[in-house]
Amino acid sequence: MHFADFAAGSIGGACGVAVGYPLDTIKVRIQTQKQFTGIWQCFMTTLSKEGVHGFFKGMFLPVTTVSMTSSVVFGTYRNCRQCLCQLRGGPGTPNTKLEIFLSGLAGGVATVTVMSPGDIVKVRLQCQTESMRTRKGANLPKPKYRGPVHCLLTIVREDGLLGLYKGALPLILRDGPSYATYFLTYSVLCDWFTPAGRKGPEWTGVMLAGGLAGMAGWTLGTPMDVIKARLQMDGARDVKRYTGFIHCIMETVRVEGSGVFFKSLGINCLRAFPVNMNQLEKVRKEGPLELSSSRFWE
C-alpha cells in the first residue's frame, strides 16, 4: 500500500475545496433553482442577499471529509495501477493507457462510499438561500438547517441513514467515468508535452495538462452532476418531484430540454482548470504518470 498517496490526497483535496467552493455554490444553485438564470445573475443575487458568507455555506463538512475521499481516490488509483502492472508483467512495467483509465474508474467509484453523505449536506446547505442572520421581527422565512451537523441529523431523521446516499447512483456515474477520463487525459497530455530525452514535461506543461484534464473530466461528468444535485435536493423544501433516477432524467428533459444538462458546464470548466494546476512538486519528484488527482471535484 502506498500510504504517502493517502496523505497527499488529504492535502490536495482540502486545497481543491478552498479554491473552488464559491464557484461550486453558484454551480449547484444554477443546477437546482430556476430563480438563478446565469453565473453573473446568481453571483450578484447571492452577494446582495447573503453577502460573501453565502458563497461558503456548507463548506465545513466537505473540508473535513474531502481528506478521506481524496485519499481513497489516490490510494485506489495507484494501487489498482500497481496490481494491473503486476498481473501483466511485474513491477517496473509501464502501465498502458487502458490500465490508467480503469484505475481512474475504480478510484472514482470507490470514493462515492465515503463522499456521498458529505456531498448531500453540502448541496442542501448551498441551496439554502435563507439567512441565519435575519433580524428579529423581520417577516422572512427561516432556514431549515442551522448548520452541517443539524442538516446531517435532519436528513437521517427524515429519510433514515439511506437518505445520506440519495443521489449515489448519478454520483457513481459522474465520478467513475470522470476520473477515468481525467487520469487518461492527463497521462496523454504529459506524454505530448514531454521534450525528447526527458522523463516528464516542464512545469508549464504540467499545469496545462492538469487544467485541461480537469476540464475534460467535467465535460463528461456534468450531465450526471445535474441529476445528482436535483435528486439530492428533491423533497428538501417541498413535495418530492422525482420517483427515482430515470424519472428525474425524463422529467428534466420534458420540462427544460436536454440543454439543461450542460447549463453548468462553463462554470465547471472555469473552476476545474485552476483547481487542477496544483500538483507541480509531486510531478517533479515522481514523474507525470505517478501523479494522482487532488480531487477535481466540487
Side-chain angles (χ1 to χ4, degrees):
M1 296 288 288
H2 296 271
F3 293 103
D5 283 334
F6 288 91
S10 300
I11 297 171
C15 291
V17 172
V19 170
Y21 202 85
L23 288 175
D24 184 63
T25 297
I26 295 175
K27 176 209 71 171
V28 171
R29 291 187 173 192
I30 290 174
Q31 289 176 336
T32 59
Q33 301 182 45
K34 293 182 179 179
Q35 62 177 302
F36 300 114
T37 57
I39 296 174
W40 182 248
Q41 184 266 345
C42 181
F43 173 81
M44 293 303 299
T45 302
T46 301
L47 185 63
S48 62
K49 292 185 177 181
E50 304 168 63
V52 176
H53 169 74
F55 297 104
F56 294 93
K57 287 183 175 179
M59 191 175 72
F60 173 77
L61 196 57
V63 166
T64 57
T65 60
V66 74
S67 297
M68 181 166 46
T69 56
S70 296
S71 297
V72 170
V73 173
F74 264 67
T76 303
Y77 170 71
R78 183 164 180 178
N79 284 285
C80 281
R81 281 183 52 189
Q82 185 181 53
C83 290
L84 291 172
C85 184
Q86 291 175 342
L87 287 174
R88 187 167 49 83
T93 305
N95 286 108
T96 65
K97 293 298 186 284
L98 177 60
E99 289 171 348
I100 292 172
F101 181 87
L102 294 176
S103 297
L105 181 67
V109 171
T111 193
V112 172
T113 58
V114 295
M115 177 186 173
S116 188
D119 191 60
I120 189 172
V121 170
K122 175 189 77 73
V123 168
R124 291 200 175 186
L125 289 176
Q126 285 176 318
C127 292
Q128 185 168 262
T129 56
E130 301 85 0
S131 176
M132 292 289 293
R133 303 174 182 177
T134 303
R135 289 179 298 177
K136 291 183 178 181
N139 188 24
L140 295 173
K142 295 182 178 180
K144 180 177 180 178
Y145 308 113
R146 296 192 296 269
V149 176
H150 180 252
C151 180
L152 187 72
L153 295 176
T154 301
I155 294 172
V156 173
R157 186 179 69 248
E158 294 178 349
D159 302 319
L161 288 174
L162 289 179
L164 297 175
Y165 288 88
K166 197 173 185 179
L169 178 57
L171 187 58
I172 290 173
L173 295 177
R174 183 197 75 175
D175 280 5
S178 294
Y179 271 116
T181 301
Y182 174 86
F183 286 118
L184 179 61
T185 303
Y186 180 83
S187 173
V188 170
L189 289 177
C190 280
D191 287 345
W192 287 356
F193 297 155
T194 299
R198 295 283 299 274
K199 291 184 177 181
E202 300 289 342
W203 65 271
T204 52
V206 172
M207 293 180 67
L208 184 58
L212 292 176
M215 293 173 66
W218 270 113
T219 299
L220 188 66
T222 292
M224 283 297 105
D225 189 47
V226 174
I227 296 301
K228 173 198 72 73
R230 294 192 173 203
L231 285 175
Q232 289 173 330
M233 282 300 299
D234 192 33
R237 292 171 171 266
D238 44 34
V239 296
K240 293 186 64 174
R241 296 177 56 193
Y242 311 116
T243 59
F245 174 68
I246 299 298
H247 182 249
C248 180
I249 295 176
M250 295 178 64
E251 189 67 10
T252 298
V253 172
R254 184 185 68 82
V255 175
E256 302 175 64
S258 58
V260 72
F261 293 121
F262 293 96
K263 188 176 180 180
S264 57
L265 177 59
I267 195 168
N268 275 339
C269 290
L270 178 65
R271 180 169 51 91
F273 196 90
V275 167
N276 288 277
M277 292 169 58
N278 60 1
Q279 316 259 2
L280 303 183
E281 187 63 27
K282 188 171 177 61
V283 171
R284 288 172 183 162
K285 291 180 178 179
E286 300 185 7
L289 293 185
E290 294 300 318
L291 180 65
S292 299
S293 170
S294 68
R295 189 70 179 101
F296 68 100
W297 168 107
E298 51 192 349

